[in-house]
Amino acid sequence: MQFESFTDFIAMGGYGFYVWLSFGSGLFLIGALILHSRFQHSSIKRDIAKKLERSDRLKRAAEVNQQ
């Protein structure tokens, strides 16, 4: 489909509002998903580090108690 001007392209044959609204909301949702995934990834890494640190402390405490 060819448009005669940029304004016709934006109008999308009278359906521009719906086209650009769906495009914008899709772009927003993908961006939100990426941000959520990054925050969740860092949170999971922090939790794993805490669990490993706790496990190490428990092992050291058990070794001290055995002596």
Side-chain angles (χ1 to χ4, degrees):
M1 178 179 235
Q2 290 184 332
F3 299 100
E4 293 183 19
S5 68
F6 185 70
T7 307
D8 288 341
F9 173 72
I10 297 297
M12 291 280 174
Y15 296 102
F17 175 75
Y18 305 108
V19 171
W20 295 114
L21 182 65
S22 63
F23 180 76
S25 61
L27 192 61
F28 172 76
L29 290 173
I30 289 171
L33 179 62
I34 290 170
L35 288 175
H36 179 264
S37 297
R38 285 187 181 198
F39 286 130
Q40 190 175 25
H41 178 76
S42 62
S43 174
I44 289 171
K45 284 175 65 175
R46 257 192 321 272
D47 289 346
I48 290 172
K50 285 180 184 178
K51 287 180 182 180
L52 288 174
E53 185 179 319
R54 183 174 186 271
S55 175
D56 288 342
R57 281 186 293 165
L58 288 173
K59 284 180 186 177
R60 280 185 271 142
E63 289 173 359
V64 168
N65 287 339
Q66 286 180 351
Q67 295 175 357

